[in-house]
Amino acid sequence: MEQNAAGNGPHPQNENGTEARFDVTKQVSYGRLIYLRFLRNHAAVVAAFALVFIYLITLVCPFFAPYDPNTRFLEKVAHPPLLPTFIDAEGQFHLRPFVYATVQSRDPKTMERMYTKDTTQRFPLRLFVRGDEYNFLFWDSDLHLFGAQDSPVFLLGTDTQGRDLFSRILFGGRISTTVGLIGVAISLLLGIVIGMASGYLGGAVDSVIQRGIEVLLSFPSLPLWMALSLSLPRHWSSIRIFLLITILLSIVGWGGLARVVRGMTLAVKSEEFVLASRMGGGGTWWILIRHILPTNLSYVIVAATLAVPGIILGETALSFLGLGIQPPMISWGVLLQDAQKVSFLSQMPWLIAPAFFIMATVLAFNFIGDGLRDALDPYSNF
């Protein structure tokens, strides 16, 4: 039997007795390597699937929501969550989940609304039911994923005006998650362009930009957001306020990214490939886009995933304080406005439900950011 090249033993043999050869020259691309490293982080993979699911249901929320967010059930005001069940009051199992009818009454002492189940009326849940009409991408329909005939279904209860909280959370998520994406896009554009220009040009340009960033970062974020939001006219439409709140959050959040990009640009601009491009006649924008930007791209990707939660929480905080997005537009922060009233929260604790959707989205972005940071680290073990 032949010895291997190192003299450490015989070559491995195939089943037919021939020598097994391994193609040691085959290389894995950088993108493939990042993908395989990311898959090793199970928390990041689960978070990625969860985030895709959250954006999917918020994008197609009219279909997933059983009701229109403004539909009021006046006889079901402040109704507690009504979860489907498979087992009836007599202990019998049913293949189709169902909900019981509820009867409203008043507490004789506190005059609070009380809802008791009527076990004599059972309403099975059905898929693809007809309900409130909606428009999605120029398509009119009244088809909803689930519902019950002759009885409303309140998975997370109703608010103080009898509106289904689950439906309103799905519609509000479309605004809150969009704020994060648009805000990060603007912050990245400002941070990358200004940071690279500051680091590459240097001199007086660098000094002016850095002093401006220091002034911007010296202000506390929340008071600065509040001051900027209070400067917006109250008579503006909800769409205009939404866009301007997004821009304001983005303007405040680009300073930290610009400083990091500047430092990375300073470390790269003296490298041989940058000097060779400059000697070859490459202009400033050519060098920045073709050489310096790719070297900063790995950090930018991680920074983007970690910056989205901050903008979502910023919008939530402003809307929670009544300084951000205003009704009738719905966001998770707007939905939490009722939860700040102790009297409401003590009687209707389910009003805090939007906070759990915010936590899930923020944690998903953080886990994905950690996974990308490890995957893009050139010194990470594979």
Side-chain angles (χ1 to χ4, degrees):
M1 184 177 295
E2 298 180 3
Q3 298 291 318
N4 59 17
N8 296 328
H11 286 291
Q13 303 289 322
N14 291 325
E15 295 180 357
N16 56 7
T18 60
E19 182 179 332
R21 299 276 185 185
F22 297 97
D23 186 8
V24 296
T25 62
K26 184 178 180 181
Q27 297 181 357
V28 179
S29 66
Y30 182 61
R32 177 70 176 175
L33 184 61
I34 292 175
Y35 173 73
L36 294 176
R37 285 175 174 172
F38 183 80
L39 290 182
R40 291 192 311 168
N41 193 323
H42 301 297
V45 174
V46 173
F49 280 105
L51 199 60
V52 170
F53 177 73
I54 290 174
Y55 272 91
L56 176 63
I57 62 174
T58 54
L59 176 64
V60 201
C61 58
F63 171 72
F64 287 99
Y67 309 105
D68 184 271
N70 296 317
T71 298
R72 297 183 179 183
F73 299 88
L74 299 180
E75 70 282 1
K76 303 293 184 181
V77 173
H79 195 290
L82 189 61
L83 299 178
T85 182
F86 291 90
I87 302 176
D88 59 19
E90 298 177 357
Q92 296 182 355
F93 179 80
H94 299 266
L95 292 177
R96 186 186 296 273
F98 63 90
V99 293
Y100 282 118
T102 56
V103 179
Q104 182 183 153
S105 60
R106 291 278 185 176
D107 188 306
K109 295 183 179 179
T110 63
M111 299 303 295
E112 296 180 3
R113 290 186 180 88
M114 300 176 57
Y115 293 93
T116 56
K117 292 183 179 179
D118 183 3
T119 57
T120 62
Q121 300 185 60
R122 189 171 64 244
F123 301 98
L125 264 65
R126 303 182 184 276
L127 295 176
F128 308 111
V129 299
R130 300 292 178 178
D132 296 332
E133 295 185 356
Y134 58 86
N135 177 271
F136 179 73
L137 296 179
F138 309 104
W139 173 48
D140 295 326
S141 178
D142 61 351
L143 186 65
H144 298 264
L145 178 61
F146 68 93
Q149 294 182 351
D150 303 325
S151 177
V153 179
F154 306 127
L155 297 182
L156 297 177
T158 62
D159 61 6
T160 56
Q161 299 185 36
R163 297 169 296 190
D164 179 46
L165 188 58
F166 178 73
S167 300
R168 291 178 62 80
I169 287 176
L170 295 187
F171 278 87
R174 186 161 56 177
I175 299 298
S176 295
T177 54
T178 303
V179 166
L181 294 182
I182 298 177
V184 163
I186 300 175
S187 294
L188 288 180
L189 179 62
L190 293 174
I192 292 172
V193 173
I194 297 176
M196 289 194 306
S198 177
Y200 186 79
L201 298 177
V205 175
D206 183 34
S207 298
V208 172
I209 292 177
Q210 293 309 307
R211 301 297 81 76
I213 293 177
E214 290 173 0
V215 172
L216 181 64
L217 296 179
S218 65
F219 288 98
S221 298
L222 186 58
L224 181 59
W225 289 341
M226 294 174 63
L228 293 175
S229 62
L230 285 174
S231 64
L232 301 179
R234 297 291 95 183
H235 63 274
W236 280 5
S237 64
S238 299
I239 296 295
R240 183 180 294 182
I241 292 179
F242 163 70
L243 294 175
L244 288 178
I245 287 294
T246 304
I247 294 174
L248 292 177
L249 293 175
S250 307
I251 292 176
V252 175
W254 63 268
L257 175 63
R259 302 199 73 170
V260 176
V261 171
R262 169 187 175 269
M264 298 177 69
T265 302
L266 288 173
V268 173
K269 75 174 186 178
S270 299
E271 295 290 337
E272 294 181 356
F273 66 93
V274 177
L275 297 177
S277 179
R278 187 184 305 167
M279 294 296 294
T284 300
W285 285 107
W286 172 270
I287 296 174
L288 290 176
I289 295 175
R290 294 300 300 270
H291 299 292
I292 295 181
L293 178 59
T295 60
N296 296 333
L297 194 58
S298 60
Y299 173 78
V300 169
I301 294 175
V302 176
T305 58
L306 297 177
V308 173
I311 295 182
I312 292 177
L313 292 175
E315 180 277 324
T316 302
L318 290 178
S319 300
F320 176 77
L321 297 173
L323 302 175
I325 296 173
Q326 301 295 325
M329 185 172 284
I330 307 170
S331 72
W332 287 337
V334 172
L335 295 179
L336 285 174
Q337 287 183 3
D338 289 338
Q340 64 181 319
K341 302 175 182 178
V342 179
S343 59
F344 285 172
L345 193 58
S346 62
Q347 301 175 12
M348 297 173 287
W350 55 88
L351 294 179
I352 201 68
F356 295 100
F357 286 81
I358 297 173
M359 292 173 55
T361 305
V362 170
L363 287 175
F365 272 110
N366 286 332
F367 282 133
I368 293 174
D370 290 339
L372 287 175
R373 181 177 56 195
D374 295 338
L376 294 169
D377 185 3
Y379 301 103
S380 175
N381 295 325
F382 179 69

